[in-house]
Amino acid sequence: MIKDNLLEIKNTLPEHVTLVAVSKTKPDEDVMEAYTAGERIFGENKVQEMVGKWERLPKDIKWHMIGHLQRNKVKYMAEFVDLVHGVDSFKLLSEINKRAQQHNRTIDCLLQIHIAEEDTKFGLDKDELDLILKSDEYLNLKNVNVVGLMGMATFTNNKEQVRREFQQLKSIFDSIKSVNPRIKILSMGMSGDYQVAIEEGSTMVRIGSSIFGKRNYK
Ligand SMILES: *Cc1c(COP(=O)(O)O)cnc(C)c1O
């Protein structure tokens, strides 16, 4: 069924939209079922869990860190992580840069923008984003590449509110993209709202439960 869900979703995505299959809490067998069906990009929100899966599973998988990230965990994934979605401070970006440098690589990152009503969701506002992108300290980070933005809408059935929040993120994305040619990824949309996100300009959707089924948190 994972295979069917995956292929059904992939078939509906426009060509310019990349799927991240969110496998958090799910066992290796589930990841392998999606892998066998052709999926190569997987998203996790806990560093330890992602490291374990990276160690055990095929090495051509691209691992995306999509969750809130603590600075002291960056070192464990710096060797292999493909894209970090939720960077919400300069300090974190700077730590990712330091750890990437130790592995002689450059890590692609998305800056997380706060668009939801709930204040439980992390992220920067537009002013904080501009401050980071314009600072000399940022320009001196040679081992991180900020390639776009990420955001999460409010968890609500109100589709119009979700749409407005995605529009807000898209307009911030457009404004920084126009002055920075490296900015190309807009990560927005999950199982419940990815169609709206795509209508509003998403280029990357993070979908978990619609592919793998409900998660069991113990
Ligand atoms: C869990 C998670 C997702 C996927 O959520 P679903 O509703 O299961 O699709 C997407 N983005 C982030 C940041 C997540 O933590």
Side-chain angles (χ1 to χ4, degrees):
M1 295 101 351
I2 290 172
K3 180 186 176 192
D4 299 329
N5 295 340
L6 177 79
L7 296 181
E8 196 176 309
I9 289 170
K10 279 203 150 176
N11 283 335
T12 67
L13 295 183
E15 217 165 304
H16 68 276
V17 176
T18 304
L19 172 67
V20 179
V22 176
S23 50
K24 63 189 188 194
T25 78
K26 298 295 178 181
D28 293 356
E29 303 85 82
D30 289 12
V31 177
M32 281 313 295
E33 190 174 337
Y35 179 90
T36 307
E39 180 60 22
R40 290 295 180 273
I41 304 176
F42 292 88
E44 292 284 336
N45 71 338
K46 296 259 180 345
V47 173
Q48 256 88 347
E49 186 178 348
M50 185 172 77
V51 169
K53 285 174 175 166
W54 168 69
E55 285 170 347
R56 296 185 301 267
L57 295 169
K59 289 295 177 284
D60 60 341
I61 290 179
K62 292 179 170 167
W63 292 102
H64 287 198
M65 173 44 58
I66 63 167
H68 185 65
L69 180 60
Q70 288 168 318
R71 263 181 289 152
N72 60 1
K73 302 277 174 67
V74 172
K75 55 180 176 286
Y76 303 114
M77 61 173 205
E79 182 181 349
F80 68 91
V81 69
D82 185 67
L83 181 64
V84 183
H85 287 236
V87 180
D88 62 353
S89 71
F90 178 77
K91 276 182 156 176
L92 178 57
L93 194 63
S94 171
E95 174 67 15
I96 297 170
N97 182 74
K98 174 178 148 192
R99 298 299 176 179
Q101 197 171 20
Q102 292 174 344
H103 289 281
N104 259 314
R105 62 186 295 250
T106 302
I107 297 179
D108 286 348
C109 295
L110 305 178
L111 294 175
Q112 182 168 359
I113 305 299
H114 185 271
I115 50 171
E117 213 170 54
E118 304 110 305
D119 34 82
T120 50
K121 282 181 182 150
F122 300 94
L124 305 158
D125 63 29
K126 175 78 165 74
D127 291 341
E128 292 166 328
L129 173 71
D130 287 340
L131 262 177
I132 291 179
L133 293 180
K134 287 187 181 133
S135 67
D136 290 338
E137 292 93 331
Y138 165 71
L139 297 171
N140 284 331
L141 300 180
K142 301 300 179 206
N143 294 76
V144 286
N145 215 349
V146 173
V147 293
L149 301 180
M150 178 267 205
M152 288 169 88
T154 303
F155 188 72
T156 169
N157 288 326
N158 183 342
K159 279 237 154 71
E160 286 320 302
Q161 180 180 352
V162 169
R163 187 179 296 282
R164 272 197 309 277
E165 292 173 356
F166 286 148
Q167 284 168 347
Q168 189 193 333
L169 181 54
K170 173 66 158 64
S171 100
I172 297 173
F173 176 73
D174 287 340
S175 75
I176 64 164
K177 193 177 174 207
S178 65
V179 293
N180 186 339
R182 278 188 189 169
I183 301 288
K184 49 184 194 285
I185 298 176
L186 180 54
S187 167
M188 61 182 195
M190 338 197 329
S191 292
D193 57 21
Y194 74 91
Q195 283 105 340
V196 180
I198 291 170
E199 286 166 17
E200 298 307 333
S202 171
T203 71
M204 186 172 273
V205 291
R206 311 174 308 270
I207 301 181
S209 41
S210 292
I211 296 172
F212 296 103
K214 282 208 184 73
R215 287 178 291 272
N216 285 316
Y217 291 105
K218 295 212 185 79

PDB file of all heavy atoms in Angstrom, residues 54-76:
ATOM      1  N   TRP A  54      20.258   6.076   7.965  1.00  0.00           N
ATOM      2  CA  TRP A  54      21.334   6.316   6.999  1.00  0.00           C
ATOM      3  C   TRP A  54      22.367   5.194   7.069  1.00  0.00           C
ATOM      4  O   TRP A  54      22.844   4.705   6.034  1.00  0.00           O
ATOM      5  CB  TRP A  54      22.003   7.670   7.292  1.00  0.00           C
ATOM      6  CG  TRP A  54      23.297   7.875   6.552  1.00  0.00           C
ATOM      7  CD1 TRP A  54      23.475   8.052   5.210  1.00  0.00           C
ATOM      8  CD2 TRP A  54      24.616   7.898   7.123  1.00  0.00           C
ATOM      9  NE1 TRP A  54      24.808   8.199   4.911  1.00  0.00           N
ATOM     10  CE2 TRP A  54      25.527   8.111   6.066  1.00  0.00           C
ATOM     11  CE3 TRP A  54      25.106   7.787   8.434  1.00  0.00           C
ATOM     12  CZ2 TRP A  54      26.903   8.207   6.274  1.00  0.00           C
ATOM     13  CZ3 TRP A  54      26.475   7.880   8.633  1.00  0.00           C
ATOM     14  CH2 TRP A  54      27.359   8.086   7.558  1.00  0.00           C
ATOM     15  N   GLU A  55      22.688   4.757   8.292  1.00  0.00           N
ATOM     16  CA  GLU A  55      23.690   3.692   8.445  1.00  0.00           C
ATOM     17  C   GLU A  55      23.212   2.369   7.852  1.00  0.00           C
ATOM     18  O   GLU A  55      23.980   1.625   7.263  1.00  0.00           O
ATOM     19  CB  GLU A  55      24.045   3.502   9.929  1.00  0.00           C
ATOM     20  CG  GLU A  55      24.939   4.604  10.456  1.00  0.00           C
ATOM     21  CD  GLU A  55      25.099   4.578  11.980  1.00  0.00           C
ATOM     22  OE1 GLU A  55      24.339   3.871  12.676  1.00  0.00           O
ATOM     23  OE2 GLU A  55      25.983   5.297  12.477  1.00  0.00           O
ATOM     24  N   ARG A  56      21.922   2.098   8.016  1.00  0.00           N
ATOM     25  CA  ARG A  56      21.415   0.769   7.644  1.00  0.00           C
ATOM     26  C   ARG A  56      20.908   0.669   6.211  1.00  0.00           C
ATOM     27  O   ARG A  56      20.865  -0.414   5.638  1.00  0.00           O
ATOM     28  CB  ARG A  56      20.262   0.379   8.590  1.00  0.00           C
ATOM     29  CG  ARG A  56      20.665   0.222  10.049  1.00  0.00           C
ATOM     30  CD  ARG A  56      19.497  -0.278  10.901  1.00  0.00           C
ATOM     31  NE  ARG A  56      18.333   0.602  10.859  1.00  0.00           N
ATOM     32  CZ  ARG A  56      18.095   1.578  11.729  1.00  0.00           C
ATOM     33  NH1 ARG A  56      18.931   1.818  12.717  1.00  0.00           N
ATOM     34  NH2 ARG A  56      17.010   2.329  11.626  1.00  0.00           N
ATOM     35  N   LEU A  57      20.494   1.772   5.626  1.00  0.00           N
ATOM     36  CA  LEU A  57      19.760   1.727   4.354  1.00  0.00           C
ATOM     37  C   LEU A  57      20.651   2.139   3.172  1.00  0.00           C
ATOM     38  O   LEU A  57      21.764   2.628   3.373  1.00  0.00           O
ATOM     39  CB  LEU A  57      18.501   2.596   4.478  1.00  0.00           C
ATOM     40  CG  LEU A  57      17.490   2.051   5.511  1.00  0.00           C
ATOM     41  CD1 LEU A  57      16.380   3.058   5.806  1.00  0.00           C
ATOM     42  CD2 LEU A  57      16.893   0.732   5.036  1.00  0.00           C
ATOM     43  N   PRO A  58      20.182   1.936   1.945  1.00  0.00           N
ATOM     44  CA  PRO A  58      21.024   2.200   0.768  1.00  0.00           C
ATOM     45  C   PRO A  58      21.603   3.618   0.740  1.00  0.00           C
ATOM     46  O   PRO A  58      20.942   4.570   1.148  1.00  0.00           O
ATOM     47  CB  PRO A  58      20.056   1.990  -0.406  1.00  0.00           C
ATOM     48  CG  PRO A  58      19.023   1.061   0.102  1.00  0.00           C
ATOM     49  CD  PRO A  58      18.869   1.377   1.564  1.00  0.00           C
ATOM     50  N   LYS A  59      22.831   3.709   0.277  1.00  0.00           N
ATOM     51  CA  LYS A  59      23.561   4.976   0.361  1.00  0.00           C
ATOM     52  C   LYS A  59      23.156   5.994  -0.712  1.00  0.00           C
ATOM     53  O   LYS A  59      23.611   7.128  -0.681  1.00  0.00           O
ATOM     54  CB  LYS A  59      25.070   4.709   0.318  1.00  0.00           C
ATOM     55  CG  LYS A  59      25.603   4.057   1.596  1.00  0.00           C
ATOM     56  CD  LYS A  59      25.460   4.999   2.796  1.00  0.00           C
ATOM     57  CE  LYS A  59      25.900   4.394   4.126  1.00  0.00           C
ATOM     58  NZ  LYS A  59      24.944   3.441   4.715  1.00  0.00           N
ATOM     59  N   ASP A  60      22.302   5.594  -1.655  1.00  0.00           N
ATOM     60  CA  ASP A  60      21.863   6.612  -2.616  1.00  0.00           C
ATOM     61  C   ASP A  60      20.599   7.336  -2.147  1.00  0.00           C
ATOM     62  O   ASP A  60      20.028   8.148  -2.877  1.00  0.00           O
ATOM     63  CB  ASP A  60      21.674   6.018  -4.022  1.00  0.00           C
ATOM     64  CG  ASP A  60      20.629   4.915  -4.067  1.00  0.00           C
ATOM     65  OD1 ASP A  60      20.302   4.351  -2.998  1.00  0.00           O
ATOM     66  OD2 ASP A  60      20.129   4.618  -5.166  1.00  0.00           O
ATOM     67  N   ILE A  61      20.177   7.076  -0.922  1.00  0.00           N
ATOM     68  CA  ILE A  61      19.045   7.839  -0.363  1.00  0.00           C
ATOM     69  C   ILE A  61      19.531   9.228   0.029  1.00  0.00           C
ATOM     70  O   ILE A  61      20.602   9.385   0.621  1.00  0.00           O
ATOM     71  CB  ILE A  61      18.442   7.111   0.863  1.00  0.00           C
ATOM     72  CG1 ILE A  61      17.722   5.841   0.419  1.00  0.00           C
ATOM     73  CG2 ILE A  61      17.493   8.040   1.621  1.00  0.00           C
ATOM     74  CD1 ILE A  61      17.119   5.041   1.568  1.00  0.00           C
ATOM     75  N   LYS A  62      18.734  10.235  -0.305  1.00  0.00           N
ATOM     76  CA  LYS A  62      19.015  11.599   0.147  1.00  0.00           C
ATOM     77  C   LYS A  62      18.188  11.869   1.396  1.00  0.00           C
ATOM     78  O   LYS A  62      16.959  11.788   1.355  1.00  0.00           O
ATOM     79  CB  LYS A  62      18.663  12.597  -0.953  1.00  0.00           C
ATOM     80  CG  LYS A  62      19.589  12.473  -2.130  1.00  0.00           C
ATOM     81  CD  LYS A  62      19.231  13.447  -3.225  1.00  0.00           C
ATOM     82  CE  LYS A  62      20.351  13.442  -4.257  1.00  0.00           C
ATOM     83  NZ  LYS A  62      19.951  14.118  -5.482  1.00  0.00           N
ATOM     84  N   TRP A  63      18.868  12.176   2.499  1.00  0.00           N
ATOM     85  CA  TRP A  63      18.188  12.386   3.777  1.00  0.00           C
ATOM     86  C   TRP A  63      17.989  13.873   4.041  1.00  0.00           C
ATOM     87  O   TRP A  63      18.957  14.641   4.050  1.00  0.00           O
ATOM     88  CB  TRP A  63      18.989  11.741   4.912  1.00  0.00           C
ATOM     89  CG  TRP A  63      18.997  10.246   4.811  1.00  0.00           C
ATOM     90  CD1 TRP A  63      20.013   9.457   4.354  1.00  0.00           C
ATOM     91  CD2 TRP A  63      17.912   9.364   5.133  1.00  0.00           C
ATOM     92  NE1 TRP A  63      19.624   8.140   4.388  1.00  0.00           N
ATOM     93  CE2 TRP A  63      18.340   8.047   4.860  1.00  0.00           C
ATOM     94  CE3 TRP A  63      16.615   9.553   5.633  1.00  0.00           C
ATOM     95  CZ2 TRP A  63      17.532   6.929   5.064  1.00  0.00           C
ATOM     96  CZ3 TRP A  63      15.810   8.449   5.833  1.00  0.00           C
ATOM     97  CH2 TRP A  63      16.268   7.151   5.554  1.00  0.00           C
ATOM     98  N   HIS A  64      16.748  14.261   4.265  1.00  0.00           N
ATOM     99  CA  HIS A  64      16.425  15.646   4.598  1.00  0.00           C
ATOM    100  C   HIS A  64      16.061  15.749   6.075  1.00  0.00           C
ATOM    101  O   HIS A  64      15.224  14.968   6.550  1.00  0.00           O
ATOM    102  CB  HIS A  64      15.227  16.134   3.770  1.00  0.00           C
ATOM    103  CG  HIS A  64      15.559  16.392   2.331  1.00  0.00           C
ATOM    104  ND1 HIS A  64      14.750  17.173   1.526  1.00  0.00           N
ATOM    105  CD2 HIS A  64      16.598  15.995   1.559  1.00  0.00           C
ATOM    106  CE1 HIS A  64      15.295  17.232   0.313  1.00  0.00           C
ATOM    107  NE2 HIS A  64      16.402  16.521   0.298  1.00  0.00           N
ATOM    108  N   MET A  65      16.679  16.678   6.775  1.00  0.00           N
ATOM    109  CA  MET A  65      16.267  16.955   8.149  1.00  0.00           C
ATOM    110  C   MET A  65      15.160  18.005   8.093  1.00  0.00           C
ATOM    111  O   MET A  65      15.390  19.122   7.642  1.00  0.00           O
ATOM    112  CB  MET A  65      17.491  17.449   8.947  1.00  0.00           C
ATOM    113  CG  MET A  65      17.238  17.941  10.357  1.00  0.00           C
ATOM    114  SD  MET A  65      16.123  16.950  11.384  1.00  0.00           S
ATOM    115  CE  MET A  65      16.935  15.353  11.378  1.00  0.00           C
ATOM    116  N   ILE A  66      13.957  17.619   8.513  1.00  0.00           N
ATOM    117  CA  ILE A  66      12.829  18.547   8.372  1.00  0.00           C
ATOM    118  C   ILE A  66      12.361  19.108   9.710  1.00  0.00           C
ATOM    119  O   ILE A  66      11.527  20.002   9.750  1.00  0.00           O
ATOM    120  CB  ILE A  66      11.623  17.862   7.673  1.00  0.00           C
ATOM    121  CG1 ILE A  66      11.093  16.699   8.513  1.00  0.00           C
ATOM    122  CG2 ILE A  66      11.996  17.398   6.265  1.00  0.00           C
ATOM    123  CD1 ILE A  66       9.735  16.184   8.044  1.00  0.00           C
ATOM    124  N   GLY A  67      12.882  18.568  10.808  1.00  0.00           N
ATOM    125  CA  GLY A  67      12.357  18.969  12.117  1.00  0.00           C
ATOM    126  C   GLY A  67      13.129  20.100  12.751  1.00  0.00           C
ATOM    127  O   GLY A  67      14.118  20.597  12.198  1.00  0.00           O
ATOM    128  N   HIS A  68      12.681  20.489  13.924  1.00  0.00           N
ATOM    129  CA  HIS A  68      13.409  21.498  14.683  1.00  0.00           C
ATOM    130  C   HIS A  68      14.727  20.881  15.128  1.00  0.00           C
ATOM    131  O   HIS A  68      14.765  19.783  15.663  1.00  0.00           O
ATOM    132  CB  HIS A  68      12.590  21.952  15.884  1.00  0.00           C
ATOM    133  CG  HIS A  68      13.250  23.074  16.612  1.00  0.00           C
ATOM    134  ND1 HIS A  68      13.429  24.312  16.033  1.00  0.00           N
ATOM    135  CD2 HIS A  68      13.803  23.139  17.833  1.00  0.00           C
ATOM    136  CE1 HIS A  68      14.063  25.088  16.895  1.00  0.00           C
ATOM    137  NE2 HIS A  68      14.303  24.409  17.987  1.00  0.00           N
ATOM    138  N   LEU A  69      15.786  21.602  14.885  1.00  0.00           N
ATOM    139  CA  LEU A  69      17.128  21.033  15.042  1.00  0.00           C
ATOM    140  C   LEU A  69      17.873  21.722  16.174  1.00  0.00           C
ATOM    141  O   LEU A  69      17.949  22.946  16.225  1.00  0.00           O
ATOM    142  CB  LEU A  69      17.869  21.215  13.709  1.00  0.00           C
ATOM    143  CG  LEU A  69      19.290  20.711  13.579  1.00  0.00           C
ATOM    144  CD1 LEU A  69      19.384  19.215  13.822  1.00  0.00           C
ATOM    145  CD2 LEU A  69      19.809  21.033  12.168  1.00  0.00           C
ATOM    146  N   GLN A  70      18.431  20.897  17.080  1.00  0.00           N
ATOM    147  CA  GLN A  70      19.254  21.464  18.144  1.00  0.00           C
ATOM    148  C   GLN A  70      20.701  21.528  17.686  1.00  0.00           C
ATOM    149  O   GLN A  70      21.188  20.607  17.032  1.00  0.00           O
ATOM    150  CB  GLN A  70      19.155  20.597  19.398  1.00  0.00           C
ATOM    151  CG  GLN A  70      17.806  20.740  20.072  1.00  0.00           C
ATOM    152  CD  GLN A  70      17.606  19.674  21.132  1.00  0.00           C
ATOM    153  OE1 GLN A  70      17.940  18.507  20.939  1.00  0.00           O
ATOM    154  NE2 GLN A  70      17.060  20.087  22.260  1.00  0.00           N
ATOM    155  N   ARG A  71      21.366  22.602  18.086  1.00  0.00           N
ATOM    156  CA  ARG A  71      22.738  22.810  17.602  1.00  0.00           C
ATOM    157  C   ARG A  71      23.676  21.664  17.969  1.00  0.00           C
ATOM    158  O   ARG A  71      24.536  21.283  17.192  1.00  0.00           O
ATOM    159  CB  ARG A  71      23.292  24.129  18.149  1.00  0.00           C
ATOM    160  CG  ARG A  71      23.140  25.268  17.161  1.00  0.00           C
ATOM    161  CD  ARG A  71      23.708  26.531  17.738  1.00  0.00           C
ATOM    162  NE  ARG A  71      22.839  27.022  18.810  1.00  0.00           N
ATOM    163  CZ  ARG A  71      23.252  27.746  19.847  1.00  0.00           C
ATOM    164  NH1 ARG A  71      24.520  28.058  19.973  1.00  0.00           N
ATOM    165  NH2 ARG A  71      22.396  28.163  20.766  1.00  0.00           N
ATOM    166  N   ASN A  72      23.477  21.094  19.163  1.00  0.00           N
ATOM    167  CA  ASN A  72      24.407  20.033  19.591  1.00  0.00           C
ATOM    168  C   ASN A  72      24.214  18.717  18.832  1.00  0.00           C
ATOM    169  O   ASN A  72      24.978  17.779  19.014  1.00  0.00           O
ATOM    170  CB  ASN A  72      24.310  19.814  21.103  1.00  0.00           C
ATOM    171  CG  ASN A  72      22.919  19.407  21.545  1.00  0.00           C
ATOM    172  OD1 ASN A  72      22.009  19.268  20.727  1.00  0.00           O
ATOM    173  ND2 ASN A  72      22.735  19.217  22.830  1.00  0.00           N
ATOM    174  N   LYS A  73      23.208  18.635  17.977  1.00  0.00           N
ATOM    175  CA  LYS A  73      22.969  17.405  17.202  1.00  0.00           C
ATOM    176  C   LYS A  73      23.527  17.492  15.774  1.00  0.00           C
ATOM    177  O   LYS A  73      23.584  16.489  15.066  1.00  0.00           O
ATOM    178  CB  LYS A  73      21.464  17.118  17.105  1.00  0.00           C
ATOM    179  CG  LYS A  73      20.741  16.966  18.431  1.00  0.00           C
ATOM    180  CD  LYS A  73      20.903  15.553  18.979  1.00  0.00           C
ATOM    181  CE  LYS A  73      20.315  15.399  20.362  1.00  0.00           C
ATOM    182  NZ  LYS A  73      18.855  15.536  20.399  1.00  0.00           N
ATOM    183  N   VAL A  74      23.900  18.692  15.376  1.00  0.00           N
ATOM    184  CA  VAL A  74      24.306  18.894  13.977  1.00  0.00           C
ATOM    185  C   VAL A  74      25.474  17.994  13.593  1.00  0.00           C
ATOM    186  O   VAL A  74      25.532  17.436  12.498  1.00  0.00           O
ATOM    187  CB  VAL A  74      24.654  20.382  13.722  1.00  0.00           C
ATOM    188  CG1 VAL A  74      25.264  20.582  12.345  1.00  0.00           C
ATOM    189  CG2 VAL A  74      23.414  21.262  13.898  1.00  0.00           C
ATOM    190  N   LYS A  75      26.395  17.814  14.544  1.00  0.00           N
ATOM    191  CA  LYS A  75      27.621  17.063  14.232  1.00  0.00           C
ATOM    192  C   LYS A  75      27.353  15.625  13.789  1.00  0.00           C
ATOM    193  O   LYS A  75      28.093  15.062  12.998  1.00  0.00           O
ATOM    194  CB  LYS A  75      28.586  17.066  15.415  1.00  0.00           C
ATOM    195  CG  LYS A  75      28.018  16.562  16.728  1.00  0.00           C
ATOM    196  CD  LYS A  75      29.124  16.631  17.809  1.00  0.00           C
ATOM    197  CE  LYS A  75      28.633  16.238  19.197  1.00  0.00           C
ATOM    198  NZ  LYS A  75      27.780  17.284  19.831  1.00  0.00           N
ATOM    199  N   TYR A  76      26.259  15.046  14.288  1.00  0.00           N
ATOM    200  CA  TYR A  76      25.975  13.636  13.965  1.00  0.00           C
ATOM    201  C   TYR A  76      25.525  13.429  12.515  1.00  0.00           C
ATOM    202  O   TYR A  76      25.607  12.335  11.985  1.00  0.00           O
ATOM    203  CB  TYR A  76      24.912  13.074  14.914  1.00  0.00           C
ATOM    204  CG  TYR A  76      25.301  13.179  16.369  1.00  0.00           C
ATOM    205  CD1 TYR A  76      24.597  14.008  17.238  1.00  0.00           C
ATOM    206  CD2 TYR A  76      26.386  12.459  16.868  1.00  0.00           C
ATOM    207  CE1 TYR A  76      24.952  14.120  18.575  1.00  0.00           C
ATOM    208  CE2 TYR A  76      26.755  12.568  18.201  1.00  0.00           C
ATOM    209  CZ  TYR A  76      26.035  13.394  19.048  1.00  0.00           C
ATOM    210  OH  TYR A  76      26.396  13.509  20.366  1.00  0.00           O
TER     211      TYR A  76
END
